[in-house]
Amino acid sequence: MTAEKLQVAFTDILKAHQRISPYIHKTPVFKNSKINDLVHRELYFKAENLQKTGSFKARGALNAVLQLKEKQTNLKGVVTHSSGNHGQATAWAARTTGLQCSIVVPSYSPAVKMEAIKEYGAELVECGPLPTDRNAACEKIAAEKKYEMIPPFDHYHVIAGQGTIAVEFLEAVPNLDAILVPISGGGMIAGIAVAAKHIKPNIKVYAVEPEGKILEKSLRAEEMLWPNPPQYLNTIADGIRLQQTGHLTWPFLLQLVEKEVFTVNNEEIIKAMKFVFQRMKLVIEAASGAAVAAAMSDQLQKLDKKIQHIGVILCGGNVDIDKLPWF
């Protein structure tokens, strides 16, 4: 099979980093001796839970909005759909650049995320529970208001923006051997993989999924094996509950991400979240907990012993403190 030419290059990610750096946080990297003692490796946590809007999504959304502004002088506004984090990020990016904005969210989205979207000044539009409901609502708003659509992951400017995480991470920790990345549609891991593999070709990028995603089976078959239309998974990690990856992100996963995938369940996610809350004093959401759960798993212990320095992406911290998953 001939590899498809990837549409995001390292130069695109460097340009994105230069474009968004004046507006975003350069998030810190944390270590924890307790977890290192448990796993007998060195773990490094990239704290995107401390990013603007509380998640990594600010990077991709802002990069996409700024590029739209550069190309369209008469741009009225933007619209997107999201379970919460990309919605907040797009609302913030629109406010930062002086644009109008509408965000479509499913009715089950955490209240904390929906309130934040409204506080950023965006119009909040609730839709039905299915992925197709989101798309239909977005298309209707885009047509009526003449807004540009910014998808949450399946967009090359979004992918490039998310890749800036790896630029910062490897600048802070050049000796990383691997990075664990939670995956939903695949925008973050696609961007991280492009940047990380360019900076350090031998680095391994592993996807972390909730139970039921069957990503490893798809990667090994080199075929998208998910049902169509896309389904949602039964997981507490609302930020990564989409079963299917994006069509634009898929070639990046196929070419740059390890075929071995870390799969975690709700119980493991809760255990990992509690550890980070109690021992690292950081607030993380369940999607971040999935990456920590992978780092604490037996599967990690079976990796090659040469993989000693492992990066973990704490992708977001937008948790509803009145509805913590262990209550």
Side-chain angles (χ1 to χ4, degrees), residues 88 109-119 317-321:
Q88 289 180 72
S109 292
V112 65
K113 296 182 178 181
M114 291 197 284
E115 285 303 313
I117 288 169
K118 289 189 285 187
E119 287 173 7
N318 292 313
V319 61
D320 188 341
I321 60 174

Side-chain angles (χ1 to χ4, degrees), residues 177-191:
D177 301 311
I179 306 177
L180 300 177
V181 187
I183 182 171
S184 180
M188 175 168 59
I189 197 169

Side-chain angles (χ1 to χ4, degrees), residues 65 68 75-80 90 94 99-102 147-148 150:
V65 168
L68 280 173
L75 181 64
K76 286 185 60 180
V78 292
V79 60
T80 193
T90 304
L99 291 174
Q100 298 178 61
C101 180
S102 295
Y147 284 2
E148 286 289 335
I150 300 178

Side-chain angles (χ1 to χ4, degrees), residues 45-92:
F45 299 88
K46 179 67 167 162
E48 287 294 294
N49 58 314
L50 302 179
Q51 185 53 266
K52 292 283 189 177
T53 75
S55 88
F56 75 96
K57 291 284 191 177
R59 297 172 182 268
L62 183 60
N63 187 50
V65 168
L66 287 174
Q67 291 201 66
L68 280 173
K69 288 270 288 186
E70 290 171 9
K71 295 174 182 176
Q72 298 185 31
T73 55
N74 61 342
L75 181 64
K76 286 185 60 180
V78 292
V79 60
T80 193
H81 62 83
S82 167
S83 62
N85 283 344
H86 179 67
Q88 289 180 72
T90 304
W92 166 77

Side-chain angles (χ1 to χ4, degrees), residues 128-139:
L130 301 176
T132 48
D133 295 330
R134 300 190 193 191
N135 289 324
C138 271
E139 289 170 4

Side-chain angles (χ1 to χ4, degrees), residues 296-314:
M296 300 173 76
S297 69
D298 291 339
Q299 187 176 348
L300 184 124
Q301 297 303 319
K302 296 174 183 176
L303 292 182
D304 190 325
K305 293 300 181 185
K306 293 178 182 177
I307 302 174
Q308 279 296 311
H309 302 277
I310 301 174
V312 182
I313 306 296
L314 301 180

